[in-house]
Amino acid sequence: MNVTVNPKTGTAPPQLSQGTLFQGSPSDPSFYFYGGTTTWANASFPGFREPDSPTYSLWEYDVSTQAWSQYDISMRVPYRPSSGAHAEAPDQSLAFYLNGEINNGSSAEIGLPAGVSTFLTGMVVINTTDHTAKNISTAGVTGRSPRARAQMQYMSGIGEKGILVLLGGSSKTVGDYDTTDLLDDFSYMYGGRDAGSRYFDEIWVLSLPSFTWTQVFSGTSPRFGHTCHLVGNRTLLTVGGVVSIKQKSGQPDTDVGPCDWETKGLGVMDLTDIIWGSLYDAHAPAYGVPGQVIATIGGSPEGHANLTTPVSGFADDGLASLFGVKTLQKAHNPDKGHPLKAAVIAAPICVVVALLAFGGLIWWWWTKHRAGRDRTAEERPYYEKSEEPDVPREQVLSK
């Protein structure tokens, strides 16, 4: 795809990383790019551009006309965030972006030194039909510790308008988490790293509504910084990723071999059989619950789990009601016949579980729960020294 300018303004779309793409509604011929930051590791590349103004942080690409458009949502969202948790409700033409950070690559107006990130609170809700946005307070979820590199999933079949499930993240710039589309009452979590730079080659499945974790795969080729995508009926497609923090920062790493088993940065897995391969089967049968998960929560490949509430019961009446439980229960419920829906997630299981238990970051949210409001004192930028190595701008430009 050629990068063309906006025909109305003559402005080219920005060159950014750690932003996100939204698909829009099913009838929308466009996709949308929001957020992101300029990486100074690319300063020697031909055509490199320094950070732009954050005024136009939302861009649209119309596939039918092959034209870009840009939208000013700075009255509601003054910063261009990166590394935030994101999800989308295409059936409602809504896109969500929670917290994140800004740094010296976010815009020309931000005078932050290399290696220092400003964490942001609030959740941006974008209407992809009229291209408007509002900023909802998340003080009740993250308090004064906004999060970066978490992941979020939209599940449409729960509650009146669906829920958002928030996984992992950190108030320091460590850990990487990536997500994709929905399949069942299960979330698949693959790979990642933790705060101690331990790297993982594991796949875990989170089962809802029992909130039960089951490990279904363990290997010897860790990966993080990738994205995961649900393709067809039951295929996980992983794209990109690295095996060390040096690689992510654009630096050579002599401790890591040059070979990558994921040919051209792509990995393919059958989500039912839990088998890695190199070919995509467009005619694969319908998704079935993996045997390891059935052994944990009961049921069959079609669903019908026996374990449908947390072992110790729900701790919140509102959360219980979303899953059809009218009163708090301590015992297992008979199966209610929930329809199949799943998510595929990339993240280190160790840090995720710890953070979920500590911070309550399995987060349910009604999309109509709160109206947008001005930022409170808790929603002011929060500064934190990044623990990831960065290439100072001056060092790169002097090479």
Side-chain angles (χ1 to χ4, degrees), residues 14-146:
Q15 300 173 352
L16 303 170
S17 65
Q18 301 174 37
T20 187
L21 292 174
F22 296 117
Q23 70 180 57
S25 67
S27 61
D28 193 338
S30 300
F31 63 81
Y32 301 85
F33 180 76
Y34 177 70
T37 183
T38 299
T39 171
W40 294 100
N42 294 336
S44 61
F45 290 9
F48 172 78
R49 287 164 44 196
E50 295 197 8
D52 298 318
S53 167
T55 301
Y56 299 102
S57 57
L58 177 64
W59 284 77
E60 172 189 6
Y61 183 78
D62 190 317
V63 177
S64 60
T65 63
Q66 298 185 348
W68 286 95
S69 300
Q70 64 202 81
Y71 300 100
D72 181 1
I73 58 174
S74 58
M75 289 295 293
R76 292 287 186 178
V77 190
Y79 305 108
R80 177 190 286 123
S82 62
S83 301
H86 48 84
E88 185 172 11
D91 56 326
Q92 302 179 59
S93 300
L94 295 177
F96 308 93
Y97 198 95
L98 182 137
N99 293 174
E101 64 184 16
I102 54 177
N103 52 36
N104 69 335
S106 299
S107 77
E109 289 84 4
I110 297 177
L112 292 174
V116 174
S117 296
T118 303
F119 287 78
L120 304 174
T121 62
M123 182 173 72
V124 179
V125 182
I126 299 173
N127 187 315
T128 57
T129 298
D130 60 17
H131 313 119
T132 59
K134 60 182 178 180
N135 199 344
I136 295 176
S137 172
T138 57
V141 179
T142 59
R144 298 185 63 86
S145 299

Side-chain angles (χ1 to χ4, degrees), residues 248-261:
K248 185 181 179 184
S249 301
Q251 304 173 37
D253 190 343
T254 57
D255 296 328
V256 177
C259 297
D260 188 346
W261 74 270

Side-chain angles (χ1 to χ4, degrees), residues 185-364:
D185 286 336
F186 308 105
S187 294
Y188 284 70
M189 182 166 62
Y190 163 55
R193 70 185 183 100
D194 67 6
S197 291
R198 291 185 301 166
Y199 307 108
F200 298 90
D201 184 14
E202 299 173 349
I203 295 179
W204 290 72
V205 179
L206 173 65
S207 306
L208 297 178
S210 66
F211 293 90
T212 303
W213 287 102
T214 304
Q215 184 175 5
V216 297
F217 176 82
S218 179
T220 59
S221 300
R223 186 176 221 65
F224 76 98
H226 50 283
T227 60
C228 294
H229 309 271
L230 173 63
V231 182
N233 293 330
R234 52 193 277 176
T235 301
L236 163 65
L237 176 68
T238 68
V239 180
V242 294
V243 298
S244 76
I245 191 62
K246 287 185 178 180
Q247 288 184 346
K248 185 181 179 184
S249 301
Q251 304 173 37
D253 190 343
T254 57
D255 296 328
V256 177
C259 297
D260 188 346
W261 74 270
E262 294 190 6
T263 305
K264 297 184 178 180
L266 298 177
V268 179
M269 168 171 272
D270 186 304
L271 290 172
T272 296
D273 296 335
I274 314 297
I275 298 175
W276 287 104
S278 58
L279 299 176
Y280 166 62
D281 183 2
H283 304 289
Y287 171 78
V289 181
Q292 301 96 315
V293 176
I294 295 175
T296 302
I297 64 173
S300 68
E302 291 74 32
H304 312 295
N306 298 323
L307 182 62
T308 57
T309 64
V311 173
S312 58
F314 285 102
D316 185 279
D317 286 307
L319 180 58
S321 67
L322 283 176
F323 293 100
V325 180
K326 295 182 179 180
T327 59
L328 297 183
Q329 301 186 26
K330 299 299 181 182
H332 302 165
N333 262 353
D335 175 59
K336 302 274 186 184
H338 290 289
L340 292 179
K341 290 188 190 116
V344 182
I345 302 174
I349 182 63
C350 296
V351 66
V352 170
V353 175
L355 290 173
L356 292 180
F358 179 75
L361 289 180
I362 295 181
W363 176 44
W364 50 274

